[in-house]
C-alpha cells in the first residue's frame, strides 16, 4: 500500500472509531447515522433491543403481520411494505421478485427493516421428494436430512428463508387427508424424523444462504379430529398431549427449530390460537422455547367463525395474551392491536416481546447484514431441478417404497413381456402428491416412460385417466394382459383426494380400480400391483387378486424411475411402514402401540384379527435372520446404561438393507401401559451371507413413562425388550428394573 494511502486509512479508521462510539459511522469518507442494530459486531439480542427502542408501536405491530403474496395483490402488498405494515410474506417466490420486494422494504421504510420470505417447503421445492409419510418409511435419518437440505438449497435460491416444516402431527386415522404430511404414528420415530428435517433445513446456521429457518407445526394436537374430518377438532387429554403429541416438539426444540406454528384446532375447548396453556404455559414454560410463534392461516379469524370470539378485537386480545406473536393472513393484529394497547387492554411490552421474536429471527437469518445476497438468479437457475437433486430424490423415493407382498418371488421382473395398465401408467402430477410447492408436472416422467427405459422392447402400456377405468377399458386391459407374462397394475388415489381439507369416508381404491385388478388376475399369470396413495388403504380386494404389491406412496418428481428400479431389481426395496394398515375402515383408529386391556378384543365380524400390515412391516428381495439377542445385564439399576445386542444375517440371495427395531413392553406400571413402544431403530446394509451385530444403548430416560400424576418417572419392576423386523415379529429378552 502506498505510504500516503496508508496514513489516510489509519486516520479514517481513527475518525470512524471516534464517530462510531457516538453512533455516527464513517464509511469511505461519508458520514451516516450508524445504529447498534446495524452493527454486526454487537450481539443479536443487543441489536434487536436497540432496534425496538427506536420503533413506534405501529412499526412493531407491522412486524407481526404475515401476508400472502399474489400477483393480483402486488400493488397493495407494496403499499403495505412502504407503510411498514408487513413483517413477512408467504407465497412470494423467485429470486428476482423477492429481491425487488426486499429492496422496497429496506430502502423505503424509516428503519430499513428487511422482510422475511416464508413458504410451504414440505417435501421439496422444485425437485419434489416423496411425501413426508413416505420419507418416514425410509427409517433413515440421513436420507431425510439430505432431502430437506436439497429442498432448502432450492427454496433459498428462490428467495425463501423459512419453511413451514416439519409437520409433526401424529394421526391414527387414514380418513384424514393430511396424514400424508405426517411422519407416522409413533412419537419416537416422528421425533427423529423431525430432527433430521430440521438439520437438513437449517444446517449449521440459518444465515447460510443455502439453508432455511424451520417452523414446526401444528402446535398442538391437530390430528385429534372427529372422524378424521379436517379442522373438526376433537377433545384429547393432557395425557395424550404430553405422552404423544408433545414428544416431536421436544425433539424439534432440542434440534434448534427456529419457530412454531399453532394448530387450527383446539385444546380443552379453547382454540389453539387462543390457548395460553399451549402457547405460554407449555411452549415457553414446560418446553422452554424462546423463538417465534405464529398462527396458521387466518386462525384468529377462524376463531370468530367457530364461535369462540365475537370479533377481531376480542380474538386478537385472546391471541396476543395467549402468546401468539405473528398473525398469518387474518390481519386481526394489524387492525386491532394498536387500539388494544392504547385502551390499556394489552401492554406495549407484550407487543414488544412478540416483535422481539419476529426481529430476532431476521437477525439470525442474516437478513439485516446481507438483505440482498440471497437473491441470486444465477444460483437459482443452477440449483432448481439440478441433476444432483434429482438423483437424491430418486434415492429417497426408492428407499421410501414398501414391498407388502411378493408371492413366489414374482418380483423382481426379468425378461417377461409386461403390460402396464391403470390410471397411473401415464400420470405425472399425482406422483408429486399434495403440498408440492413449485413442482412442475412436466418435470415428472411417467411409469410407461421409465419402464420402457428399463425393459426395452418388453412393455405394452394402456394408459387411462382416473375417470377412465370404464368397463370398456377394463375389457381392453384384460384382453391385452391375457397375451403378456406380467400385468403391472398402476393404481391409486389421485392427488386431489389427499392433503388439506380432504377427508374420505372410504380408505380403499375405487371400485372401478379394484375391478381392474380382479379382471386382470383372471387372465394373467403374474399380477403386480403398484399403489400410489398418501394414506394407509384397506387392501384386501387387491391382495386377493395379485402376486405382488408395492406401496409407492406419492414418490415425487423421480417416482417413476424409482418404481422401475425396484420392479427390475436394480434396487432392493427397504421401506418399512410407519403407519398401520387396517383390514377394514371399521378398525380406525388403528395403532400398533395400543393401550393394553384385560381381554383380547377385536371385531367379531372380521375373519382375521389385527391390522392388515403392522407398524414397521416391509418385505425385501432377500431374507433376514436374527439371533443372539443379549443384554449387558439382566438387572438395570438407576443411572446404568443397558446394552442390547442382536445379530442380523442376510440369508437370502440379494444384498439389502434391514431396519432393526427395538421396542419396550412393560408387564405392569402404575398406569395402563401401551402394548409396546418403539425406542430405537438402526439399519444395516448386508451382502448375501454377511452378518452384523447391532448394539443399542438404552439409558434411564428410555425407561421413563408418564405417571398417574402427569409427571415423568422411571419404570420399576421389569421390562420386555423386543428386537426384530417389525412390531409383530421380534425376539425378546426380559430385564429387571431395579430402583
Ligand atoms: C395451511 C396449513 C399450514 C400451512 C399454511 C400456509 O392452511 O394448515 O400447514 O403451512 O396454511 O400455507
Amino acid at each position: 500500500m502506498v505510504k500516503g494511502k496508508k496514513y489516510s486509512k489509519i486516520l479514517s479508521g481513527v475518525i470512524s472509531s471516534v464517530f462510531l462510539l457516538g453512533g455516527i459511522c464513517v464509511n469511505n469518507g461519508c458520514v451516516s447515522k450508524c445504529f447498534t442494530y446495524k452493527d454486526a459486531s454487537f450481539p443479536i439480542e443487543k441489536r434487536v433491543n436497540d432496534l425496538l427502542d427506536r420503533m413506534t408501536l405501529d412499526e412493531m405491530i407491522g412486524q407481526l403481520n404475515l401476508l400472502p403474496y399474489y400477483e393480483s395483490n402486488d400493488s397493495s402488498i407494496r403499499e403495505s411494505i412502504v407503510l411498514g405494515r408487513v413483517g413477512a410474506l408467504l407465497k412470494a417466490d423467485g429470486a428476482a421478485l423477492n429481491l425487488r420486494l426486499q429492496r422496497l422494504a429496506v430502502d423505503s421504510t424509516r428503519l430499513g427493516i428487511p422482510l422475511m420470505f416464508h413458504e410451504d417447503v414440505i417435501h421439496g421445492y422444485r425437485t419434489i421428494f416423496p411425501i413426508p409419510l413416505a420419507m418416514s418409511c425410509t427409517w433413515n435419518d440421513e436420507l431425510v436430512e439430505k432431502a430437506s437440505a436439497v429442498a432448502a438449497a432450492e427454496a433459498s435460491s428462490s428467495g425463501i428463508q423459512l419453511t413451514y416444516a416439519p409437520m409433526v402431527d401424529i394421526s391414527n386415522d387414514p380418513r384424514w387427508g393430511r396424514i400424508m404430511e405426517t411422519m407416522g404414528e409413533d412419537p419416537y420415530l416422528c421425533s427423529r424424523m423431525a430432527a433430521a428435517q430440521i438439520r437438513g433445513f437449517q444446517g449449521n446456521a440459518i444465515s447460510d444462504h443455502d439453508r432455511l429457518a424451520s417452523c414446526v407445526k401444528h402446535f398442538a394436537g391437530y390430528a385429534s379430529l372427529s372422524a378424521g374430518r379436517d379442522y373438526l377438532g376433537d377433545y384429547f387429554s393432557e395425557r395424550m398431549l404430553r405422552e404423544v403429541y408433545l414428544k416431536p416438539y421436544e425433539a424439534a426444540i432440542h434440534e434448534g427449530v427456529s419457530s412454531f406454528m399453532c394448530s387450527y384446532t383446539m385444546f380443552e375447548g379453547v382454540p389453539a390460537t387462543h390457548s395460553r396453556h399451549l402457547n405460554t404455559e407449555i411452549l415457553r414454560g414446560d418446553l422452554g422455547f424462546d423463538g417465534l410463534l405464529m398462527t396458521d392461516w387466518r386462525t384468529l379469524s377462524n376463531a370468530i367463525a367457530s364461535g369462540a370470539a365475537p370479533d377481531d378485537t376480542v380474538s386478537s386480545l385472546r391471541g396476543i395474551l395467549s402468546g401468539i406473536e405473528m398473525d398469518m393472513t387474518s390481519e386481526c393484529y394489524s387492525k386491532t392491536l394498536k387500539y388494544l394497547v392504547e385502551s390499556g387492554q394489552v401492554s406495549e411490552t407484550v407487543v414488544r416481546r412478540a416483535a422481539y421474536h419476529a426481529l430476532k429471527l431476521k437477525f439470525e437469518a442474516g437478513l439485516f447484514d446481507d438483505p440482498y445476497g440471497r437473491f441470486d438468479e444465477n444460483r437459482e437457475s443452477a440449483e432448481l431441478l439440478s441433476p444432483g437433486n434429482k438423483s437424491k430424490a430418486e434415492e429417497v423415493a426408492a428407499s421410501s417404497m414398501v414391498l407388502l407382498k411378493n408371492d413366489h418371488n414374482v418380483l423382481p421382473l426379468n425378461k417377461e413381456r409386461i403390460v402396464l395398465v391403470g390410471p397411473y401408467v401415464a400420470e405425472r402430477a399425482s406422483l408429486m402428491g399434495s403440498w408440492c410447492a413449485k413442482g412442475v408436472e412436466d418435470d415428472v416422467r411417467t411409469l410407461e416412460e421409465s419402464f420402457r427405459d428399463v425393459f426395452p422392447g418388453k412393455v405394452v402400456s394402456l394408459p387411462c385417466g382416473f375417470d377412465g377405468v370404464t368397463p370398456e377399458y377394463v375389457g381392453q386391459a384384460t384382453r391385452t394382459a391375457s397375451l403378456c407374462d406380467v400385468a403391472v397394475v398402476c393404481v391409486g388415489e389421485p392427488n386431489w383426494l389427499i392433503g388439506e381439507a380432504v377427508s374420505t369416508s372410504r380408505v380403499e381404491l375405487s371400485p372401478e380400480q379394484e375391478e381392474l385388478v380382479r379382471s386382470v388376475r383372471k387372465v394373467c399369470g403374474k399380477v403386480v400391483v403398484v399403489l400410489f396413495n398418501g394414506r394407509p388403504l384397506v387392501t384386501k380386494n387387491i391382495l386377493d387378486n395379485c402376486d405382488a404389491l408395492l406401496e409407492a406412496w406419492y414418490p415425487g418428481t423421480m417416482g417413476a424411475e424409482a418404481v422401475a428400479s425396484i420392479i427390475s431389481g436394480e434396487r432392493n426395496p427397504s421401506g418399512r411402514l410407519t403407519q398401520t394398515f387396517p383390514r377394514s375402515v371399521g378398525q380406525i383408529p388403528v395403532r400398533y402401540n395400543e393401550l393394553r386391556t384385560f381381554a383380547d378384543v377385536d371385531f367379531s365380524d372380521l375373519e382375521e384379527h389385527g391390522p392388515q400390515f403392522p407398524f414397521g412391516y416391509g418385505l425385501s428381495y432377500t431374507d433376514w435372520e436374527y439371533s443372539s439377542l443379549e443384554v449387558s445385564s439382566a438387572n438395570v439399576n438407576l443411572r446404568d446404561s443397558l446394552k442390547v445386542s442382536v445379530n442380523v444375517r442376510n440369508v437370502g440371495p440379494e444384498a439389502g438393507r434391514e431396519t432393526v427395531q427395538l421396542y419396550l413392553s412393560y408387564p405392569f406400571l402404575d398406569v395402563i401401559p401401551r402394548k409396546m413402544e418403539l425406542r430405537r431403530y438402526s439399519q444395516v446394509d448386508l451382502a448375501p451371507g454377511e452378518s452384523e451385530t447391532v448394539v443399542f444403548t438404552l439409558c434411564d430416560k428410555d425407561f421413563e413413562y408418564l405417571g398417574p400424576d402427569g409427571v415423568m418417572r422411571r419404570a420399576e419392576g421389569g421390562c420386555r425388550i423386543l428386537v426384530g423386523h417389525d412390531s409383530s415379529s421380534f425376539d425378546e429378552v426380559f430385564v429387571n428394573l431395579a430402583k
Side-chain angles (χ1 to χ4, degrees):
M1 181 186 288
V2 174
K3 206 164 186 177
K5 275 200 172 178
K6 184 176 171 185
Y7 286 125
S8 69
K9 193 160 179 56
I10 291 170
L11 180 63
S12 71
V14 169
I15 293 170
S16 303
S17 53
V18 168
F19 276 119
L20 193 57
L21 294 176
I24 304 290
C25 60
V26 179
N27 291 320
N28 301 326
C30 69
V31 178
S32 69
K33 283 290 281 178
C34 181
F35 304 126
T36 302
Y37 78 92
K38 285 183 181 283
D39 183 338
S41 69
F42 288 102
I44 283 181
E45 185 171 350
K46 188 174 180 59
R47 298 176 73 187
V48 180
N49 282 312
D50 173 69
L51 177 55
L52 285 166
D53 291 344
R54 303 172 192 280
M55 293 172 76
T56 64
L57 176 60
D58 281 326
E59 287 167 333
M60 283 195 278
I61 292 170
Q63 288 304 308
L64 310 184
N65 200 23
L66 167 56
L67 292 179
Y69 177 87
Y70 309 106
E71 278 184 35
S72 57
N73 71 357
D74 179 83
S75 54
S76 67
I77 288 289
R78 290 171 184 277
E79 189 182 330
S80 300
I81 291 172
V82 169
L83 293 172
R85 290 180 183 159
V86 189
L89 291 173
L90 69 152
K91 305 303 168 195
D93 289 275
L97 166 67
N98 290 5
L99 177 58
R100 288 196 299 273
L101 294 170
Q102 189 69 299
R103 286 196 188 285
L104 187 63
V106 173
D107 296 346
S108 64
T109 56
R110 183 172 71 90
L111 295 165
I113 299 174
L115 296 167
M116 195 167 196
F117 294 89
H118 301 183
E119 182 56 278
D120 289 290
V121 188
I122 310 300
H123 53 106
Y125 181 71
R126 173 69 186 273
T127 305
I128 303 304
F129 282 74
I131 55 172
L133 182 58
M135 281 204 274
S136 70
C137 291
T138 66
W139 291 63
N140 188 302
D141 305 36
E142 290 71 29
L143 276 181
V144 171
E145 180 178 338
K146 193 191 287 188
S148 300
V150 167
E154 290 197 348
S156 61
S157 79
S158 278
I160 303 298
Q161 294 92 48
L162 180 143
T163 179
Y164 300 133
M167 190 263 219
V168 298
D169 297 300
I170 291 182
S171 173
N172 303 110
D173 195 330
R175 294 170 294 186
W176 185 41
R178 298 194 78 168
I179 199 169
M180 53 75 55
E181 277 181 83
T182 69
M183 287 178 286
E185 68 190 56
D186 179 75
Y188 172 77
L189 182 92
C190 180
S191 298
R192 281 185 52 174
M193 290 291 143
Q197 281 201 45
I198 293 163
R199 285 194 298 274
F201 288 132
Q202 300 194 158
N204 295 322
I206 60 173
S207 55
D208 290 347
H209 286 187
D210 62 349
R211 298 291 181 173
L212 297 175
S214 189
C215 177
V216 66
K217 67 187 185 182
H218 305 80
F219 192 70
Y222 177 20
S224 179
L225 296 164
S226 174
R229 291 159 58 196
D230 207 358
Y231 309 138
L232 187 56
D234 203 356
Y235 294 141
F236 58 92
S237 68
E238 187 82 21
R239 171 171 288 277
M240 185 66 180
L241 178 65
R242 292 183 182 278
E243 193 174 275
V244 176
Y245 293 143
L246 290 186
K247 293 299 181 192
Y249 290 105
E250 291 167 10
I253 292 168
H254 184 261
E255 199 61 45
V257 70
S258 300
S259 55
F260 269 61
M261 182 191 296
C262 83
S263 161
Y264 272 131
T265 50
M266 51 90 198
F267 182 58
E268 289 294 290
V270 177
T273 204
H274 290 166
S275 171
R276 183 166 181 77
H277 182 56
L278 287 177
N279 301 335
T280 295
E281 291 165 11
I282 291 182
L283 182 63
R284 308 298 182 184
D286 299 347
L287 301 186
F289 180 64
D290 183 28
L292 178 64
L293 170 62
M294 65 182 82
T295 74
D296 197 342
W297 191 281
R298 288 179 60 80
T299 54
L300 289 170
S301 301
N302 297 347
I304 302 162
S306 306
D311 54 38
D312 290 352
T313 306
V314 172
S315 188
S316 295
L317 175 64
R318 291 176 183 163
I320 195 80
L321 293 184
S322 81
I324 285 279
E325 295 173 321
M326 183 169 261
D327 169 12
M328 184 192 292
T329 70
S330 86
E331 300 194 64
C332 286
Y333 277 7
S334 59
K335 285 184 283 190
T336 66
L337 265 189
K338 186 169 186 179
Y339 161 72
L340 287 168
V341 171
E342 290 173 346
S343 60
Q345 297 177 69
V346 173
S347 84
E348 184 163 325
T349 313
V350 171
V351 177
R352 178 186 169 107
R353 182 78 189 146
Y356 175 88
H357 280 139
L359 291 166
K360 180 164 81 92
L361 186 54
K362 292 182 180 179
F363 277 102
E364 287 167 345
L367 288 168
F368 278 87
D369 302 319
D370 182 7
Y372 309 127
R374 295 159 171 274
F375 306 101
D376 175 349
E377 289 182 81
N378 294 327
R379 179 163 81 93
E380 182 179 39
S381 52
E383 188 64 54
L384 299 185
L385 213 64
S386 72
N389 294 351
K390 289 167 71 173
S391 164
K392 287 170 186 154
E394 182 178 345
E395 179 189 5
V396 176
S399 302
S400 69
M401 295 178 185
V402 186
L403 184 60
L404 297 176
K405 180 179 183 181
N406 191 23
D407 286 0
H408 328 299
N409 293 324
V410 292
L411 289 178
L413 299 184
N414 195 344
K415 305 290 182 196
E416 299 95 333
R417 291 171 301 157
I418 300 167
V419 62
L420 294 177
V421 297
Y424 267 92
V425 168
E427 176 60 31
R428 298 179 196 275
S430 281
L431 287 178
M432 294 190 287
S434 181
W435 291 108
C436 43
K438 295 301 168 188
V440 173
E441 179 175 347
D442 290 346
D443 295 343
V444 182
R445 300 188 75 225
T446 64
L447 278 173
E448 68 181 345
E449 290 165 346
S450 297
F451 269 65
R452 291 217 167 101
D453 286 350
V454 173
F455 301 98
K458 292 285 183 184
V459 177
V460 173
S461 62
L462 267 72
C464 70
F466 288 105
D467 56 1
V469 191
T470 60
E472 294 71 27
Y473 173 81
V474 171
Q476 189 188 4
T478 306
R479 284 189 295 277
T480 309
S482 67
L483 306 172
C484 295
D485 303 316
V486 183
V488 177
V489 190
C490 311
V491 287
E493 295 183 308
N495 67 347
W496 60 80
L497 259 187
I498 199 75
E500 182 171 351
V502 178
S503 298
T504 57
S505 62
R506 301 175 72 249
V507 286
E508 52 232 309
L509 282 184
S510 65
E512 295 78 11
Q513 293 192 46
E514 289 189 340
E515 178 52 30
L516 173 63
V517 177
R518 218 181 340 265
S519 301
V520 166
R521 166 82 281 175
K522 290 173 186 164
V523 299
C524 196
K526 288 183 186 178
V527 177
V528 175
V529 173
V530 184
L531 196 52
F532 299 92
N533 49 301
R535 67 176 93 239
L537 292 177
V538 172
T539 53
K540 177 163 176 28
N541 294 337
I542 306 173
L543 288 166
D544 292 346
N545 293 289
C546 72
D547 301 294
L549 173 58
L550 177 67
E551 173 57 80
W553 304 113
Y554 293 116
T557 304
M558 302 302 289
E561 288 86 342
V563 169
S565 73
I566 287 179
I567 298 293
S568 67
E570 179 197 337
R571 285 195 175 96
N572 184 357
S574 59
R576 299 283 183 273
L577 293 180
T578 58
Q579 199 81 42
T580 303
F581 273 49
R583 289 182 191 283
S584 152
V585 70
Q587 285 182 317
I588 292 169
V590 286
R591 52 173 68 88
Y592 84 94
N593 54 354
E594 287 185 318
L595 294 175
R596 285 177 44 195
T597 185
F598 50 85
D600 181 13
V601 285
D602 214 310
F603 295 88
S604 310
D605 59 346
L606 283 180
E607 289 162 25
E608 293 181 80
H609 287 173
Q612 184 69 60
F613 297 111
F615 178 83
Y617 177 84
L619 299 177
S620 167
Y621 291 154
T622 196
D623 297 304
W624 307 102
E625 184 180 81
Y626 283 71
S627 62
S628 313
L629 173 60
E630 293 172 4
V631 288
S632 53
S633 164
N635 299 300
V636 185
N637 302 312
L638 274 171
R639 278 170 297 288
D640 280 355
S641 66
L642 179 73
K643 299 261 187 236
V644 183
S645 62
V646 67
N647 189 273
V648 183
R649 179 180 297 277
N650 180 342
V651 294
E654 301 288 341
R657 170 170 292 173
E658 172 63 342
T659 300
V660 183
Q661 300 160 37
L662 183 150
Y663 299 84
L664 300 183
S665 177
Y666 297 103
F668 65 87
L669 294 169
D670 48 7
V671 292
I672 294 180
R674 291 176 182 274
K675 282 183 175 174
M676 59 197 306
E677 293 179 89
L678 180 71
R679 271 293 175 282
R680 290 285 186 281
Y681 59 85
S682 177
Q683 293 185 321
V684 289
D685 294 325
L686 296 175
E690 268 189 342
S691 68
E692 185 171 326
T693 297
V694 176
V695 181
F696 297 106
T697 301
L698 297 175
C699 62
D700 231 32
K701 204 158 174 52
D702 294 306
F703 293 103
E704 286 187 349
Y705 69 99
L706 194 62
D709 56 0
V711 177
M712 292 303 284
R713 65 181 59 175
R714 181 180 173 278
E716 293 172 7
C719 181
R720 295 165 58 215
I721 297 178
L722 322 174
V723 180
H725 178 79
D726 63 50
S727 59
S728 69
S729 96
F730 47 78
D731 298 332
E732 69 174 87
V733 61
F734 188 86
V735 293
N736 297 305
L737 298 177
K739 280 189 181 301

